[in-house]
Structure formats: structure tokens, C-alpha cells
Amino acid sequence: MHLISYDISHDGLRVKLARMLLQNGLQRIQYSVFMGALAPATLSKVQVKLTEIVQDPRFSYEDSVMLLPLHQYSRDHAEFLGKGPEYWDEITGTAHTLIF
Amino acid sequence: MHLISYDISHDGLRVKLARMLLQNGLQRIQYSVFMGALAPATLSKVQVKLTEIVQDPRFSYEDSVMLLPLHQYSRDHAEFLGKGPEYWDEITGTAHTLIF
């Protein structure tokens, strides 16, 4: 299970990144925070795409992307106040044996 | 070690929350993502403050706050593309024995 969050100032590049994450099965938890249980091949693909985005001339020196692998502990102890994610089981891959 | 992220539409309430997190020793990783190694008493205090913010009339039904405890695995395998955090050792509490 991974968390990906970002600060990207360019609208078009930010939309491109969000779309890529959704296409690869990540769920949007908050506006700039995505989570999902990624298969190793998909994770590699996402990492390649992230590298491409960071090398895009629209990516500014103040922009950042964080890729955080999550332990099962985080999944089991996540707390949401206010609006929670709609598909927590899909996000956490509860049906899978391996979390990361 | 904890990660706190949020989507809050009201400017004043968002600023209030960000300030509270900084005052309690969390570091800003991205615009709406904070991380830090919180002592149990500080964590309890932050949780109380978060509950107050969620009950504020300016907190909308679309708003959300996520509080995610992080395992040492996440700390050791975090990847930053672009601008990374300035004080990673302070954020992760590398000097401490216990992470959470």
C-alpha cells in the first residue's frame, strides 16, 4: 500500500499527474493525496511516470512529490475526521494478503 | 511518527489548523501535508484540537482531515521527487528510539 501526495503549481501538470494516478488504480483521498495497494509492476510503472513528470519543464523547483510506502499498521490505524474515503477496502487492498 | 493531511475549503480555518500543527512540532512536508514524531501527550492534544476544528461551523461536509500513524518502514522508504523536506531528521525523530 502506498501514499502519494504532491504540491504542483502548474494546473495542467497537476491534472496530468492526478489522472495518471487514478488510471493506475490509486484512489483520491484528498485533493493532492492518493492511496492504493499497487502491484509491483504497477508501482514500477507509476515510479517511471513520476520521474517523467518531475523532469517536465512545467515542474517548478518549489514543486514536490512524495511516495510513501505504508505498513499495515498505518492502514489499521488511519483516522478520518470529516469526509472519509469512499472505497477504503479497495484503497487498502484488504482482500490481498500482502500490503506492500 | 504521524502524517496529517487535510482538505479544508475555508481559508481562515485552514490557516488555523496549519498553525496549530506547526505549534505542536509537526513539519510542513507539502502545502496540506504535515509530518512529525509526536510524544503521546502532544498527540492527544493535537487530536483534541483536530476534533474542535472538525466541529467548527466553517468546516464543510466536503472537508476532511486524515491522521495516519507511520511505521518505521515508511520513514525508511519515503521517496521525494523535486523539493524534499528541509528537516527530515527532526520530522522522523531519528534521534528517538520509538517512532510511534
Side-chain angles (χ1 to χ4, degrees), chain A residues 17-72:
Chain A
L17 173 47
R19 197 169 292 160
M20 183 277 284
L21 296 176
L22 294 171
Q23 280 169 351
N24 283 287
L26 286 141
Q27 303 275 345
R28 196 166 215 154
I29 298 283
Q30 286 167 340
Y31 186 71
S32 65
V33 180
F34 293 70
M35 282 167 78
L38 298 173
T42 311
L43 175 61
S44 299
K45 191 177 154 193
V46 167
Q47 283 172 313
V48 168
K49 294 277 184 190
L50 290 178
T51 306
E52 286 171 11
I53 282 167
V54 169
Q55 290 169 346
D56 189 295
R58 295 171 294 176
F59 190 88
S60 99
Y61 72 99
E62 284 287 342
D63 291 348
S64 76
V65 179
M66 177 172 69
L67 177 63
L68 201 63
L70 297 179
H71 189 273
Q72 186 168 346

Side-chain angles (χ1 to χ4, degrees), chain A residues 5-7 30-31 47 54 62-69 71 73-74 77-81 83 100, chain B residues 5-7 30-31 47 54 59 62-69 71 73-74 77-81 83 100:
Chain A
S5 63
Y6 53 77
D7 263 354
Q30 286 167 340
Y31 186 71
Q47 283 172 313
V54 169
E62 284 287 342
D63 291 348
S64 76
V65 179
M66 177 172 69
L67 177 63
L68 201 63
H71 189 273
Y73 178 83
S74 298
H77 295 85
E79 281 180 49
F80 293 94
L81 296 94
K83 193 183 179 194
F100 57 83
Chain B
S5 63
Y6 53 76
D7 263 354
Q30 286 166 341
Y31 185 71
Q47 284 173 311
V54 169
F59 190 87
E62 285 287 344
D63 291 348
S64 76
V65 178
M66 176 171 71
L67 177 63
L68 202 63
H71 189 272
Y73 179 83
S74 298
H77 294 86
E79 282 179 48
F80 293 94
L81 295 95
K83 194 184 180 193
F100 57 86

Side-chain angles (χ1 to χ4, degrees), chain A residues 1 37 75-76 88-99:
Chain A
M1 186 178 166
R75 184 194 75 179
D76 295 344
W88 188 239
D89 286 355
E90 286 181 29
I91 294 167
T92 58
T94 306
H96 302 270
T97 309
L98 294 170
I99 304 305

